[in-house]
């Protein structure tokens, strides 16, 4: 199960057993950069498979999740999603009511974020050969009209190397912003599934973030973005450190966390920074623009708790140092996997 | 199972329980046209889920199938595929050797047809929650450089309404070409799976057709193309009749068929025209160009048996009339489903 959990074990598996078999081709943002989307001939392109269990959970369902997750992967590149695809695989005998509810949720989420579902496919497999249903979505996007101005603003402060908000584009001094509380999605799923009872107070954050991201890009100065899904915030920050060849210093007490998530994580002995999110974006920006970006994000209902959590620093080894509330320092390791399976 | 079988039952299910939930949005080739791909902002975009059982079969495997099927759906619009995505869902415990073999096959097929795999996703579900593995692919494409000249040639003979090779673009008088023998894929799968023994002589035709289609477009005069997958040739021809509001007269004896497929279909009591193909394209073109197109297709190894099988005609009701070998006439009904499940 760790081969699908979003951490280091998955990345090694994908590099060794999947990408190694594919022909190497040069394009603007290639497959082996492991960014959220590829960029081919100026089209941003991404794909996701969704296996969340159960299909319905507090705050969302596999339908809203599949639309939001894919919209977010295009948006964090600095692009506007212009179309979604959905491939639906159904287990024979699944109630049509369930199909209707999930597809209605997909349609509603697509409508809310103004990205049409334009193509798709439906398959049915025999009863017992699949756990109810799977949805694979993909999306295409165009460069955001705010992206050039956004990067021009960043360029007033330092050299910017990438045309897109890619993982390798963070530099020492950049501020790191998170758009809200982390850990909600994974903990809501785990609690609901296992009957821990935290789900009355913790809901999944599943939401399309194209609107939030547009708010940020309009301010300007953003150089990298990523939605911290499988592997959580710890994975995102460590990926940036490795790909951008930097270190990071993050203030633990500045990371937004819901009280319910704190309680649940303490009880279960898991780190909320390793838990997958589905409605949060992590932003790296030139420091002079950070306050203005946070202010604008807080004006959006999906990012009211946006906060600067730390800064990129020069470092011989790519690593994230967490400054703890009591004044200590510890290294935030990249997770080997997400501790909670099948949350997306 | 018929809800996923590609025939009338599936189309009704998709219209009622899937597309009805999605917001209606206008774009050049929309979702509810049920074409092989959508066209959004001049990007051709398609998606497919692959559930073939077993994973390896005579002539191919789920890896080659997933690349070829999606490349073909872009190509039949009159486009060049420029990138593929793959979402892979694995059952925990599946042997890594199997994963390697299938991914190697995907990579080889992608290389052979010169379409890079540019983005993707990997998920793992618990043992018993999935039958080994699924692959969902999607693709983006650009208008073929030969498409404008191709349609200009057609326009010398009649008015052409669509910029793309869409299902609603066939007109009375157009010639109908099939690029080779039909039924091979489904019969190879069925025979191999059920141990009928025909698989020694019948192999799946799974192949990417972008090269074949380019040969046709270079000649000119092509107005519609479709790959006759689920539901087979009968489904393709009937779809064209309904969407183009025409009839069709097809000569049964001109439809290319392998002897092994004929024997198997006779024994099993199924119609080869209802069987899914994975390496064939059906082409509608202005009649004056038909011979030249067939000649050029026959020069390509994947379409050596290309043939004109009939013509579109004026008709009050959209229907396909099959002229039988003994001089009779029967209506070729649209299939309710593909008689063989899980072949793609």
């Amino acid at each position: 199960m760790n081969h699908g959990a979003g951490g280091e074990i998955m990345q090694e598996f994908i590099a060794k057993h999947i990408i190694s078999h594919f022909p190497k081709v040069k394009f603007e943002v290639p497959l082996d950069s492991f960014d959220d989307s590829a960029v081919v001939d100026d089209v941003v392109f991404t794909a996701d498979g969704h296996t969340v269990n159960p299909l319905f959970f507090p705050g969302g369902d596999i339908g809203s999740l599949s639309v939001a997750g894919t919209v977010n992967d295009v948006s964090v590149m600095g692009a506007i999603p212009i179309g979604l695809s959905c491939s639906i695989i159904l287990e024979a005998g699944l109630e049509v009511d369930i199909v209707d509810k999930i597809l209605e949720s997909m349609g509603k989420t697509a409508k809310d974020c103004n990205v049409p579902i334009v193509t798709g496919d439906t398959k049915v497999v025999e009863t017992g050969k699949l756990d109810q249903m799977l949805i694979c979505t993909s999306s295409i996007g165009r460069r955001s009209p705010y992206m050039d101005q956004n990067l021009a603003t960043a360029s007033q402060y330092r050299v910017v190397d990438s045309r897109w908000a890619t993982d390798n584009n963070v530099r020492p001094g950049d501020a790191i912003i998170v758009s809200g509380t982390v850990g909600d999605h994974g903990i809501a799923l785990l609690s609901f599934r296992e009957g821990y009872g935290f789900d009355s107070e913790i809901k999944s954050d599943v939401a399309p973030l194209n609107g939030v991201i547009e708010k940020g890009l309009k301010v300007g100065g953003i150089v990298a973005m990523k939605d911290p899904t499988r592997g959580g915030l710890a994975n995102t920050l460590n990926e940036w450190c490795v790909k951008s060849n930097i270190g990071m210093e993050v203030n633990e007490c500045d990371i937004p966390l819901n009280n319910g998530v704190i309680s649940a994580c303490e009880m279960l002995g898991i780190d909320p920074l390793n838990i997958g999110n589905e409605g949060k974006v992590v932003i790296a920006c030139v420091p002079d623009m950070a306050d203005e970006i946070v202010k604008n994000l807080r004006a959006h209902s999906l990012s009211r708790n946006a906060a600067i959590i730390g800064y990129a620093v020069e470092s011989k080894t790519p690593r994230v140092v967490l400054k703890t509330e009591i004044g200590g320092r510890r290294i935030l390791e990249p997770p080997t996997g997400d501790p909670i399976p099948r949350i997306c």
Side-chain angles (χ1 to χ4, degrees), chain A residues 82-86 116-120 140:
Chain A
I82 60 168
L84 283 160
S85 79
C86 70
I117 298 165
V118 301
T119 189
I140 53 174

Side-chain angles (χ1 to χ4, degrees), chain A residues 42-259:
Chain A
D42 235 40
V43 179
V44 179
F45 185 29
T46 195
D48 273 313
H50 303 276
T51 62
V52 64
N53 172 35
L55 299 177
F56 301 91
F57 49 81
D61 56 65
I62 194 172
S64 55
L65 182 73
S66 65
V67 170
T70 302
V71 163
N72 294 346
D73 280 344
V74 167
S75 304
V76 296
M77 299 299 289
I80 307 263
I82 60 168
L84 283 160
S85 79
C86 70
S87 284
I88 298 168
I89 325 275
L90 301 168
E91 183 187 16
L94 180 67
E95 285 172 44
V96 170
D97 274 3
I98 292 179
V99 177
D100 274 327
K101 271 186 200 161
I102 286 167
L103 275 290
E104 192 185 339
S105 172
M106 284 191 85
K108 186 185 176 306
T109 311
K111 193 175 178 186
D112 287 351
C113 65
N114 201 25
V115 185
I117 298 165
V118 301
T119 189
D121 186 46
T122 307
K123 294 276 157 70
V124 181
V125 299
E126 301 91 335
T127 308
K129 299 290 189 185
L130 175 68
D131 186 14
Q132 295 188 293
M133 79 186 292
L134 294 178
I135 301 179
C136 291
T137 40
S138 69
S139 181
I140 53 174
R142 290 284 191 201
R143 190 171 178 81
S144 163
Y146 303 108
M147 195 58 185
D148 287 339
Q149 181 58 49
N150 166 69
L151 290 181
T153 303
S155 300
Q156 291 170 16
Y157 300 93
R158 67 160 175 88
V159 175
V160 177
D161 295 312
S162 177
R163 280 186 72 229
W164 302 91
T166 47
D167 296 339
N168 62 1
N169 212 22
V170 190
R171 298 292 172 268
D174 287 348
I176 310 298
I177 295 166
V178 63
S179 69
T181 56
V182 297
D184 303 49
H185 176 72
I187 295 296
L189 249 295
L190 180 70
S191 179
F192 180 66
R193 205 157 59 192
E194 309 299 335
Y196 293 136
F198 293 109
D199 45 294
S200 56
E201 38 181 325
I202 311 167
K203 283 195 168 40
S204 165
D205 60 351
V206 57
L209 295 170
N210 47 343
V212 168
I213 286 167
E214 186 178 298
K215 277 222 169 264
L217 290 178
K218 277 184 179 172
V219 177
I222 293 174
V223 291
M225 293 189 280
K226 200 170 189 73
D227 56 335
T229 54
R230 283 180 291 180
L233 184 63
N235 203 45
T236 293
L237 299 183
N238 275 286
E239 263 197 83
W240 279 358
C241 285
V242 171
K243 292 185 194 170
S244 292
N245 197 25
I246 51 164
M248 238 176 239
E249 290 193 357
V250 171
N251 295 308
E252 190 170 32
C253 59
D254 292 336
I255 300 171
L257 285 168
N258 270 323
N259 286 333

Side-chain angles (χ1 to χ4, degrees), chain A residues 257-269:
Chain A
L257 285 168
N258 270 323
N259 286 333
V261 170
I262 297 172
S263 310
C265 284
E266 279 174 358
M267 191 190 95
L268 300 166

